[in-house]
Amino acid sequence: MRTRLRFAALPLVTFACPAMAQETSDETDEPTIVVTGQGLPDTPASPAYGTVEVPRETVLIAPSGRIEEALASVAGFQQFRRSDSRSSNPTAQGVTLRALGGNATSRALVTLDGVPVADPFFGYVPFAALIPEQVGRIAVTRGGGSGPFGAGALAGTIAIESLSPETQAPLGMSVLANDRGGTEAVGSVSAALGRGHASGTVRWDRGPGFYTAPESQRVPASVPAKFDSISGRLRVVAPLSDDLELQARVLAFDDARTLRFDGADSSASGQDASIRVVGRGRWQVDALGYVQARNFSNLVVSSSRFVPVLDQRNTPSTGLGGKIEVRPPVGPDHTLRLGIDYRRAEGELQETPISSFTGNITARRRAGGVTSDLGVFVEDDWQVGQLILTGGLRADRTVIADGFFRESDPDGAVVEDNRFADRSDWTLSWRGGALLRATPSLDLRAAAYRGLRLPTLNELYRPFVVFPVVTQANADLANEELRGFEAGLDWRPVEGVELSLTAFDNRLDNAIANVTIGPNLRQRRNLPAIETQGIEAGLRVARGPIRFDGSVSYSDPTIAGEGASLALDGNAPPQSPQWFAAASLTYEPKPDMLLSLSLRHVGDQFEDDQETEVLPAFTTLGAYAQVPLVGQLKLVLRGENLFDETIVTRVSGGDLDLGAPRTLWAGLRYGF
């Protein structure tokens, strides 16, 4: 039985520093110090890599109220499953870009205020832990790269920034309910703390959910996908000097879900803490350290007898890391970045298979290990007139150690005890690009890169079952490596109109995939490569009270098979649609009054590497309306999947799982 986190007992992080104890006085000549709560600014050549910004408004007006839907406005963004963080297993929330496939582990690096947020054991992104109301902006860069934590930025980087202190309302509240009895509640407080700033936010989402099984496939044991998640965050920002700023954050969450059958419960929980120091003087500095404590449990229910058959009762894991980046003053034409970063993940699974006939435990299993990555990087942007050149190198020492798999019988006698050899390696990655300001309205850009991803503990050591398919782990997995290049343009033909176009070619060597090796049997293996070429386009138009934002991408991913994987050669990788498209139309006739429609399309994709199971394309329409009432109080109406489109999220032997049907929300919002 999961335990509800006691948010009232969260430690309030305070720091004894003179800057926070001093009060501003009109009688002194001390300069005003403004804390930003942000990291160092983007470098001049950042646009060379085709970064797309998701503004705060897009996050706040998402019809579902979820961050993952706001990210889906960038064509090419994809989770492993098509369901969102209310109706999927948490471990299926791996994030990738550019249809590079996946096996539920993230191939894109997701950070919050510079700190990686992926689960240390599984590699999924805990979207239910992220609070949309506290997001300031999101920058999405498709394509691999170097820089801090670059070893995780295989398919790209999704950098989430918190709301800056000057834009925080002293009090924010939001309460909404939907037509199935689900609720969403958020509360936030913010206040000056000496010359610094402190804020705290709690969000609670719960609901009875919907049936993920089609009506024709429901049985007496079928139940709606109920969910109950709570997340709380404390953040402190304080000046240490005129150009040195301290940022500290504590986050805790607890997320419980039930999927398809009564008793098929899962729970993900965690506590994260980070400290960051940002210096904006002549020598710019960005230094941070973080620690994550996470856990996951899951009860697997037989789809034939509808009783528990596997209790994944405990998966404790710990992640820790940090970075130091320095930008020395090397002249107005250069922006030089030097740095070092470190990431370590440790964890193990603890599970017990259960007889579906007797209900007795048949075995006890434990498996886990440690992975780590130490990286050093250097990057320079050089401005020559209207041309900006950029290039960076990164060296990573990756370690996989202390791996084990142990199984005993119910009485404790050891049946299997495997110890896997430690491994380490050095890998050199790089990226380079050019940005030409061809005219005041036209930018031309090109980039090439090589990226790296270390296998997760989940991929290395944890087998799992999605009945009737068994997927084996593989302790011998090699690192994934991506090589790619792209070219594009950004054109602003008239004021208020922005058009972007990018063509890319990526090759993912040693791609880790769930490979079919027998009837209802798969194993995680390194494929020789996944190759994908494609085009991405974006259009933004702002005309008075009307705004349009559209994005579309087409890619053609294929598996390059040879040897044991020769039969897969030319197949599309699983979970990799060719077409993505998203568009939104927003009308804001006056402040705080807003109406928005959002359209999203995802093309056909295959469930498996044999191309035998197809997940059909879908198109959904969502809506958001906001009407001011009194002061900062607003009426909010939201609609998800208004045409009640059937969204198939999983198919296995004819059995389907479905995504969210039409859902209508209504409520009040204050301060946000």
Side-chain angles (χ1 to χ4, degrees):
M1 179 74 79
R2 69 188 185 90
T3 302
R4 167 66 63 198
L5 291 176
R6 303 296 182 184
F7 285 91
L10 280 174
L12 177 63
V13 180
T14 59
F15 299 90
C17 65
M20 291 178 61
Q22 295 172 355
E23 296 292 336
T24 302
S25 172
D26 295 334
E27 299 177 358
T28 69
D29 295 327
E30 293 183 8
T32 300
I33 297 177
V34 178
V35 292
T36 70
Q38 310 298 315
L40 295 178
D42 295 338
T43 62
S46 295
Y49 299 105
T51 298
V52 178
E53 180 175 329
V54 180
R56 172 173 170 78
E57 179 187 88
T58 299
V59 178
L60 289 180
I61 68 175
S64 66
R66 319 297 294 185
I67 285 182
E68 56 267 38
E69 182 174 5
L71 287 170
S73 66
V74 179
F77 169 84
Q78 178 192 8
Q79 294 188 94
F80 178 66
R81 293 292 180 196
R82 293 165 156 190
S83 44
D84 64 26
S85 57
R86 297 166 296 185
S87 60
S88 67
N89 190 288
T91 62
Q93 293 173 197
V95 170
T96 191
L97 297 162
R98 289 187 168 167
L100 280 171
N103 58 3
T105 296
S106 294
R107 285 192 167 124
L109 173 66
V110 181
T111 62
L112 175 60
D113 297 326
V115 177
V117 300
D119 184 87
F121 189 91
F122 294 95
Y124 70 87
V125 177
F127 281 112
L130 306 178
I131 302 175
E133 290 75 12
Q134 288 300 312
V135 172
R137 71 184 279 264
I138 305 175
V140 181
T141 303
R142 294 169 287 201
S146 56
F149 304 118
L154 195 73
T157 304
I158 300 172
I160 304 172
E161 296 180 1
S162 292
L163 196 63
S164 58
E166 68 270 15
T167 57
Q168 286 264 18
L171 177 65
M173 294 184 293
S174 177
V175 179
L176 289 95
N178 67 29
D179 55 341
R180 285 191 298 275
T183 58
E184 169 193 305
V186 188
S188 175
V189 294
S190 175
L193 191 64
R195 291 190 295 178
H197 185 270
S199 62
T201 308
V202 175
R203 173 164 169 150
W204 184 20
D205 295 83
R206 62 172 300 279
F210 58 91
Y211 283 97
T212 58
E215 187 172 359
S216 62
Q217 296 180 0
R218 293 175 198 166
V219 296
S222 298
V223 295
K226 66 178 179 180
F227 60 96
D228 189 350
S229 63
I230 187 168
S231 179
R233 189 184 79 159
L234 299 172
R235 189 169 189 246
V236 174
V237 180
L240 300 176
S241 67
D242 291 351
D243 53 20
L244 198 63
E245 179 176 303
L246 176 68
Q247 304 168 13
R249 174 169 50 84
V250 176
L251 179 145
F253 68 94
D254 191 23
D255 180 16
R257 310 177 196 177
T258 299
L259 299 179
R260 198 175 178 100
F261 299 121
D262 185 29
D265 301 328
S266 67
S267 175
S269 61
Q271 303 84 40
D272 297 359
S274 65
I275 295 179
R276 187 183 198 183
V277 175
V278 180
R280 298 184 174 87
R282 291 186 67 248
W283 283 76
Q284 295 185 341
V285 177
D286 190 348
L288 66 85
Y290 70 90
V291 61
Q292 303 166 322
R294 303 283 180 84
N295 206 344
F296 171 78
S297 65
N298 187 47
L299 196 61
V300 179
V301 172
S302 167
S303 60
S304 57
R305 298 181 59 84
F306 313 111
V307 294
V309 292
L310 180 64
D311 185 4
Q312 297 169 321
R313 66 184 188 279
N314 207 20
T315 316
S317 62
T318 303
L320 60 87
K323 74 155 188 179
I324 299 176
E325 177 184 339
V326 178
R327 299 183 185 178
V330 291
D333 297 331
H334 287 269
T335 302
L336 179 63
R337 306 171 67 192
L338 306 170
I340 183 170
D341 60 65
Y342 178 73
R343 300 169 71 183
R344 185 179 189 273
E346 179 178 3
E348 68 172 53
L349 70 88
Q350 302 169 10
E351 64 181 26
T352 51
I354 302 170
S355 170
S356 62
F357 295 96
T358 66
N360 295 329
I361 293 174
T362 60
R364 301 182 187 276
R365 299 174 186 149
R366 297 180 65 184
V370 177
T371 63
S372 65
D373 182 289
L374 174 66
V376 293
F377 62 91
V378 57
E379 187 168 81
D380 183 52
D381 293 358
W382 180 26
Q383 187 163 353
V384 186
Q386 300 304 309
L387 178 65
I388 303 176
L389 301 174
T390 181
L393 290 174
R394 179 182 171 91
D396 287 275
R397 185 177 188 270
T398 56
V399 176
I400 299 174
D402 301 333
F404 72 95
F405 179 90
R406 183 182 305 115
E407 181 172 329
S408 60
D409 65 22
D411 296 325
V414 176
V415 176
E416 184 176 355
D417 190 359
N418 293 329
R419 303 283 174 160
F420 305 108
D422 295 351
R423 295 182 278 150
S424 63
D425 197 8
W426 279 97
T427 303
L428 183 68
S429 56
W430 50 268
R431 72 174 180 175
L435 176 68
L436 175 63
R437 309 287 189 184
T439 72
S441 62
L442 178 63
D443 299 339
L444 303 177
R445 49 184 165 80
Y449 34 78
R450 179 178 180 180
L452 168 73
R453 184 180 77 85
L454 190 65
T456 62
L457 297 171
N458 176 54
E459 293 169 316
L460 292 164
Y461 307 122
R462 175 183 173 262
F464 69 95
V465 178
V466 179
F467 187 85
V469 180
V470 176
T471 302
Q472 301 174 339
N474 185 352
D476 295 324
L477 291 171
N479 293 342
E480 294 183 335
E481 297 184 12
L482 180 136
R483 293 173 291 164
F485 61 89
E486 62 189 63
L489 60 86
D490 299 295
W491 184 35
R492 300 166 295 278
V494 295
E495 185 178 355
V497 177
E498 301 178 19
L499 174 67
S500 65
L501 187 66
T502 304
F504 63 89
D505 188 328
N506 288 177
R507 177 184 172 91
L508 178 59
D509 292 319
N510 298 326
I512 299 173
N514 299 334
V515 177
T516 300
I517 59 177
N520 292 327
L521 182 61
R522 298 174 186 167
Q523 185 183 43
R524 295 189 181 96
R525 290 187 176 182
N526 290 109
L527 297 173
I530 293 175
E531 299 175 342
T532 181
Q533 300 83 35
I535 296 177
E536 300 160 343
L539 175 63
R540 287 182 172 174
V541 180
R543 281 287 185 267
I546 298 176
R547 295 185 300 278
F548 173 83
D549 197 330
S551 180
V552 62
S553 70
Y554 171 80
S555 57
D556 186 21
T558 57
I559 296 172
E562 60 184 43
S565 60
L566 182 61
L568 303 179
D569 188 58
N571 285 5
Q575 314 297 332
S576 301
Q578 292 184 321
W579 285 100
F580 287 96
S584 65
L585 183 65
T586 302
Y587 176 59
E588 189 172 6
K590 62 180 183 179
D592 288 336
M593 177 174 283
L594 182 147
L595 174 64
S596 178
L597 297 175
S598 57
L599 193 71
R600 185 180 180 222
H601 174 80
V602 177
D604 293 339
Q605 62 194 69
F606 292 106
E607 173 74 37
D608 63 330
D609 58 345
Q610 304 295 305
E611 297 187 344
T612 58
E613 304 278 12
V614 178
L615 302 174
F618 70 88
T619 303
T620 59
L621 177 69
Y624 178 95
Q626 179 177 290
V627 179
L629 298 176
V630 179
Q632 297 186 55
L633 185 65
K634 298 176 281 288
L635 170 69
V636 172
L637 304 173
R638 298 193 322 226
E640 305 177 53
N641 192 4
L642 290 177
F643 293 148
D644 207 19
E645 176 87 339
T646 298
I647 304 171
V648 179
T649 64
R650 187 187 70 89
V651 57
S652 178
D655 289 337
L656 306 180
D657 280 344
L658 304 179
R662 179 171 50 237
T663 307
L664 304 178
W665 293 82
L668 300 174
R669 175 174 285 174
Y670 177 88
F672 292 123

